[in-house]
Amino acid sequence: MHDATVEMTRLAAMDAREATRLLRGIRDAALRGRTAPLAPRADIGASWQRMLREGVDPDRDHRSDLLTAGELEARRAASPLLEVLPALREGLTQAPGSVADPLAHIMIVADAEGRVLWREGHSSVLRMADGHGLDAGADWRESTVGTNGVGTALVTRRPVQVHSAEHFVVTHHPWTCAGAPVTDPRDGRLMGVVDLSGPVATMHPATLLLVGSVARLAEAELRNRHLTELARLRAVAAPLLHRVGGRAVAVDRYGWTAAVAGMAPPDRLPLPGALRGGAGEPGGGPEAGSGAPVDGRVWLPSLGECAVEPLPGGWLLRVLDGTSGGSGPGGADGTVTRVVLDVSRARDWTLRVSGALGGWVRELSPRHAELLYVLAVHRDGRSAAQLAADLFGDGTRTVTVRAEMSRMRRTLSGVLAHRPYRFRDELEVEVRGPADPRDLLPHSTAPAVVAARAA
């Protein structure tokens, strides 16, 4: 059984007042810098430390300004979570026999910025939520309201349960909540959080498992829809590829391959921002305005110079004669000169690559951000066993490491070498970390990252 579930089971076995009293003693000791008889759970303790560093008041409830009705509707319409709202609703508020009693809980759906987009549940619990500022349009980031099931799940990027006095702000102690992040399987971007909240007496250790399972089901539904969209694009692109000749590939706006001719099919191509939509659009990123096609052409690190033609739902990329992925900024011939790994934020990490013929930016998943950070601070390289120990504390998990490194080397063409795994020796590598090293990749439990925070 997962450690967090074990702790929740112990708390659930206690009287509600006894559990609250125990957690309050742990919290008070942590806030005063004293040693408590019991340590807080790891995610909770780390969140409390972030709140202390950010100056969140533990004794005063801070309320953000609510979004206007127009702003809220605009966010709802633009959120990819709208597509899976029926699945979330069915799994958390309508499933018969669920541990999530609709008379005792409310479902909260928040976007990646912690803004509450939807909330549903029994009217009496909704009225309680109103009294705590848990209203549609409210900001429930950690930095605004302290440790909570929405904001803390956004930071940790994994399911988290916050019970009673585990909330940093004292006015939230009458609540228990469990939140799980929802990630877009099409591009790996964090879409938001789904959360179940209710009065402290309704705490159930299985609630966290339920919320996490429903979040994964929502992601699976998006994945199935994506496969359907790729099939439609394939039906359109296949006849065109047959007539084009030479090397060509049809991809959707996320870079996933729908059809290919004259070459081995790549799983996914790192598209420049101009081919993924503008900043704020699905697939857009911090550099969404860069890499725009010039005269219908674009340079891609794994293919070289390509002619670009729009397709319904994607792009047709024709590799131009005499070019290859080894002749540009991401090529294997040393034309890459500099990489900048930016892990300065709590999320949205990037690798910026530049060279003689320009540059590109790659958004990083949580795991790839950890791997690249370790390689950036170990320029002499790491073996698969060393990376397994760095990431998992288990040097035998080399199969997982090799699979991740193989994926990264395909997409980060010309940047990484192997035997041992490392950034290429000729590259200038810069790491941009947070102002306070203790805030480095706060989601990460990798031993190498934990050690860097402590140092």
Side-chain angles (χ1 to χ4, degrees):
M1 188 181 294
H2 192 277
D3 289 345
T5 305
V6 171
E7 294 299 325
M8 287 295 105
T9 302
R10 291 174 181 169
L11 289 173
M14 297 181 181
D15 175 79
R17 284 177 294 183
E18 180 187 357
T20 298
R21 192 160 47 246
L22 172 65
L23 293 173
R24 188 172 293 146
I26 295 172
R27 171 184 172 274
D28 290 347
L31 265 56
R32 289 170 171 76
R34 299 201 301 260
T35 301
L38 292 175
R41 293 186 292 126
D43 281 345
I44 300 301
S47 176
W48 288 351
Q49 293 304 313
R50 287 193 296 272
M51 299 307 93
L52 290 170
R53 291 197 296 273
E54 294 181 20
V56 176
D57 190 337
D59 300 316
R60 182 171 300 175
D61 189 353
H62 176 73
R63 305 288 177 87
S64 66
D65 293 333
L66 297 179
L67 297 174
T68 66
E71 291 170 336
L72 178 60
E73 287 306 314
R75 286 206 183 209
R76 285 173 170 173
S79 173
L81 291 172
L82 179 62
E83 299 180 59
V84 295
L85 185 60
L88 298 175
R89 182 182 292 123
E90 180 179 357
L92 295 179
T93 66
Q94 298 174 1
S98 169
V99 299
D101 183 353
L103 299 181
H105 291 85
I106 57 174
M107 178 187 75
I108 304 293
V109 179
D111 65 16
E113 295 180 357
R115 286 285 183 176
V116 176
L117 300 183
W118 295 277
R119 55 172 214 163
E120 299 180 10
H122 195 265
S123 57
S124 63
V125 186
L126 289 172
R127 284 195 296 271
M128 288 180 58
D130 290 339
H132 289 273
L134 189 52
D135 202 351
D139 178 357
W140 272 71
R141 290 174 298 172
E142 271 195 341
S143 57
T144 302
V145 298
T147 308
N148 71 92
V150 172
T152 303
L154 286 173
V155 173
T156 62
R157 297 287 288 261
R158 56 182 168 267
V160 62
Q161 192 158 12
V162 184
H163 180 62
S164 185
E166 289 182 320
H167 289 90
F168 186 76
V169 178
V170 68
T171 53
H172 300 151
H173 290 184
W175 284 88
T176 184
C177 54
V182 185
T183 301
D184 194 330
R186 297 166 292 194
D187 59 8
R189 293 175 69 83
L190 182 64
M191 296 188 294
V193 166
V194 59
D195 168 274
L196 271 180
S197 293
V200 77
T202 66
M203 193 274 287
H204 193 291
T207 303
L208 183 64
L209 297 176
L210 172 67
V211 174
S213 297
V214 171
R216 301 294 81 75
L217 286 173
E219 292 172 352
E221 180 168 327
L222 282 174
R223 188 175 295 109
N224 290 336
R225 294 187 184 195
H226 183 220
L227 292 175
T228 300
E229 293 167 357
L230 280 175
R232 293 196 190 103
L233 179 57
R234 186 176 301 114
V236 172
L240 296 175
L241 288 172
H242 182 71
R243 294 195 297 267
V244 163
R247 293 192 296 155
V249 58
V251 297
D252 69 3
R253 60 179 174 167
Y254 302 100
W256 292 99
T257 299
V260 67
M263 55 187 283
D267 291 333
R268 187 184 179 195
L269 293 174
L271 298 181
L275 299 187
R276 295 176 295 159
E281 294 294 323
E287 297 294 322
S290 65
V294 178
D295 296 329
R297 296 186 179 189
V298 69
W299 189 92
L300 297 178
S302 54
L303 296 180
E305 192 173 10
C306 298
V308 181
E309 299 176 23
L311 294 173
W315 304 94
L316 176 63
L317 305 173
R318 291 188 295 108
V319 181
L320 298 178
D321 292 338
T323 69
S324 70
S327 62
D333 61 356
T335 53
V336 170
T337 57
R338 175 177 167 82
V339 296
V340 178
L341 175 64
D342 190 343
V343 290
S344 61
R345 298 175 293 275
R347 55 186 177 86
D348 298 331
W349 315 285
T350 61
L351 186 74
R352 185 191 303 269
V353 178
S354 57
L357 299 181
W360 47 275
V361 174
R362 179 71 172 175
E363 298 160 22
L364 303 174
S365 69
R367 178 65 72 212
H368 288 179
E370 292 171 336
L371 275 167
L372 291 175
Y373 174 78
V374 171
L375 295 179
V377 297
H378 291 282
R379 287 302 309 276
D380 54 340
R382 305 293 275 173
S383 67
Q386 287 174 318
L387 283 176
D390 291 334
L391 264 64
F392 309 113
D394 180 358
T396 66
R397 296 184 61 177
T398 55
V399 172
T400 302
V401 167
R402 290 192 178 101
E404 291 288 356
M405 290 302 302
S406 177
R407 279 191 285 269
M408 280 207 300
R409 292 185 69 227
R410 286 198 301 268
T411 57
L412 302 178
S413 179
V415 173
L416 299 175
H418 67 303
R419 297 179 184 175
Y421 294 115
R422 65 193 187 280
F423 281 98
R424 289 188 174 275
D425 298 334
E426 65 271 17
L427 297 183
E428 177 188 352
V429 178
E430 177 187 351
V431 179
R432 295 179 182 173
D436 190 323
R438 292 171 294 183
D439 293 326
L440 174 69
L441 298 173
H443 72 280
S444 178
T445 58
V449 177
V450 173
R453 292 192 204 116

